[in-house]
Amino acid sequence: MTIGFSSRTARSACMLCLAGVLTLMPAAAAATAVRPDPGPPGGAADRTSSLYRSGTQVRPHPGAPRVPDVSALSWVVADAGTGDVLAANDAHRKLPPASTLKTLFALTVLPVLPGGLHHEVSPEDLSGIGPGSSLVGVVEGETYRVSDLWNGVFLNSGNDAVHVLAALTGGWSATAARMQAKARALGARDTHVRSPDGYDAPGQVSSAYDLAVFGRAGLRRPDFARYCAKVDAMFPGRDGRSYGIMNTNRLLTGAGGVAPYPGLIGVKNGYTSNAGNTLIAAARRDGRTLLVTVMNPQEGGGHAVYEEARALLDWGFEADGQVDPVGSLVREGARPRQGPQAAPAAAAAAKPAEDEPGWPETGAILGVAALGAGVTALALRLKLVRDDGS
């Protein structure tokens, strides 16, 4: 890793940081692993909620528009602001997520890697990339800013960029474990992470509900929101040259004969032969942001995931105020209570919620956060050029 100063200093800083990461991250994962999964966000009772029922779930008022007939195996329409789920179909059905899982990767790794850091890619960084993976063109021996690598993740869905970023934060297995812990902390109980880039792996699944949770959490981060909304960017090539890359989310770019959706602000698309086409899409209209997830349409070819998301977004905006929520993306423990039942702030701070990490996990995660802060401080002290958002 280099940060604009001597290679010896860079290597020393890198080794210190990596040692800390390797120590802390597996500790957090191990602490999480010994805790039994408490089940759905609101406890066992949530298994009887409408979001766990098969088929389409919606609570329309008289005269409300009809939910469109789509072929996806699973989908969700939610209000990104309130977290209310307006309609869903088999929301908790466990399915392969493909590259939409990169949203969880970003939620896990973005907080600990300053975008302005520079890193020289080693052969080990790129080892283990699955055959047929989508690539942005990362080359060993070349030096990249972390922000450039994130462009490669969000725009080109580059598994090579994911591998490099994972190597910088503890390695492939440790990153998968941290992603698993992050999913549980967000109340996403259907997701099982095996490959952080979303590449098909035995046992790797998520759900339309969980993907909506990840999309909503990501949009609340300015850096995530900025990356996922980019249409195009320049990516470093060999010998100081660069080349253009374009977002593969056709609902955002309008490429390939798919009309761009008005007001679309991201989030992430994906495809593998096992998962089919998957998509998390968010759009803003008249001050309201809707979030739609679509998993594996069964009809209409490769563009169906975009057209079905379009139909669901149109319905969601048209149905504003004409349906009652069928569930929520907000964890039960995160909902503020009203009146005398509200716990005192000191008491609430002293005891972790059931679906939050316990003190061992929290200590490890705080250690990682402190490490990230230390890297940032070092970078600033050495006059690291801040990420310019490109």
Side-chain angles (χ1 to χ4, degrees):
M1 179 185 292
T2 59
I3 315 180
F5 46 97
S6 74
S7 60
R8 179 176 297 179
T9 304
R11 284 195 297 270
S12 299
C14 180
M15 291 305 295
L16 286 171
C17 293
L18 184 57
V21 171
L22 288 171
T23 300
L24 291 167
M25 292 180 181
T32 302
V34 299
R35 288 168 55 87
D37 188 343
D46 269 15
R47 291 290 184 189
T48 62
S49 76
S50 59
L51 288 181
Y52 279 90
R53 298 173 190 162
S54 62
T56 299
Q57 307 300 316
V58 62
R59 296 173 183 166
H61 298 176
R66 181 182 176 183
V67 175
D69 183 18
V70 297
S71 69
L73 294 180
S74 178
W75 55 263
V76 162
V77 181
D79 186 306
T82 64
D84 289 339
V85 178
L86 308 180
N89 183 79
D90 290 346
H92 287 283
R93 181 172 179 174
K94 296 180 180 180
L95 296 165
S99 285
T100 52
L101 192 66
K102 288 182 172 77
T103 55
L104 178 59
F105 173 77
L107 286 170
T108 304
V109 176
L110 270 171
V112 297
L113 275 184
L117 289 177
H118 289 68
H119 173 66
E120 182 178 326
V121 174
S122 70
E124 293 77 15
D125 294 342
L126 297 175
S127 64
I129 297 176
S133 288
S134 55
L135 304 172
V136 68
V138 176
V139 179
E140 66 180 71
E142 296 291 330
T143 298
Y144 298 86
R145 287 186 308 176
V146 165
S147 60
D148 290 323
L149 295 172
W150 281 120
N151 283 336
V153 171
F154 277 93
L155 277 68
N156 248 57
S157 207
N159 289 3
D160 47 357
V162 172
H163 273 256
V164 176
L165 291 167
L168 286 171
T169 52
W172 201 244
S173 297
T175 300
R178 290 178 59 226
M179 289 171 64
Q180 190 69 63
K182 180 67 172 179
R184 294 298 180 265
L186 290 169
R189 305 291 175 182
D190 304 320
T191 299
H192 297 278
V193 181
R194 301 291 182 265
S195 184
D197 54 7
Y199 192 82
D200 285 336
Q204 178 156 279
V205 292
S206 189
S207 67
Y209 178 90
D210 284 12
L211 294 181
V213 169
F214 303 151
R216 180 173 186 261
L219 291 173
R220 297 164 81 88
R221 288 189 58 92
D223 48 3
F224 184 111
R226 184 178 71 249
Y227 285 121
C228 80
K230 283 187 178 182
V231 172
D232 52 34
M234 298 301 293
F235 193 80
R238 295 179 183 272
D239 303 323
R241 291 175 293 181
S242 60
Y243 54 90
I245 59 175
M246 178 174 284
N247 202 311
T248 57
N249 180 354
R250 295 183 179 185
L251 209 60
L252 178 67
T253 65
V258 176
Y261 191 84
L264 199 84
I265 56 174
V267 183
K268 188 73 185 76
N269 59 309
Y271 172 81
T272 67
S273 56
N274 187 37
N277 286 284
T278 58
L279 177 67
I280 309 170
R284 184 174 296 124
R285 184 181 299 174
D286 298 328
R288 184 174 183 233
T289 301
L290 290 185
L291 189 67
V292 163
T293 54
V294 178
M295 300 189 75
N296 201 351
Q298 299 298 288
E299 301 173 2
H303 291 177
V305 71
Y306 301 112
E307 299 309 327
E308 294 191 1
R310 182 193 311 277
L312 292 170
L313 284 168
D314 284 345
W315 173 85
F317 285 117
E318 186 181 355
D320 185 16
Q322 300 184 65
V323 295
D324 293 326
V326 295
S328 177
L329 303 178
V330 180
R331 291 176 295 108
E332 188 67 23
R335 290 179 174 276
R337 296 182 180 179
Q338 302 295 325
Q341 291 184 338
K351 182 180 180 181
E354 288 185 359
D355 57 354
E356 292 286 3
W359 291 120
E361 301 95 310
T362 302
I365 292 168
L366 288 175
V368 174
L371 177 64
V375 174
T376 306
L378 175 63
L380 290 173
R381 187 171 182 176
L382 293 167
K383 303 184 182 299
L384 172 67
V385 176
R386 290 181 179 272
D387 177 19
D388 65 4
S390 65

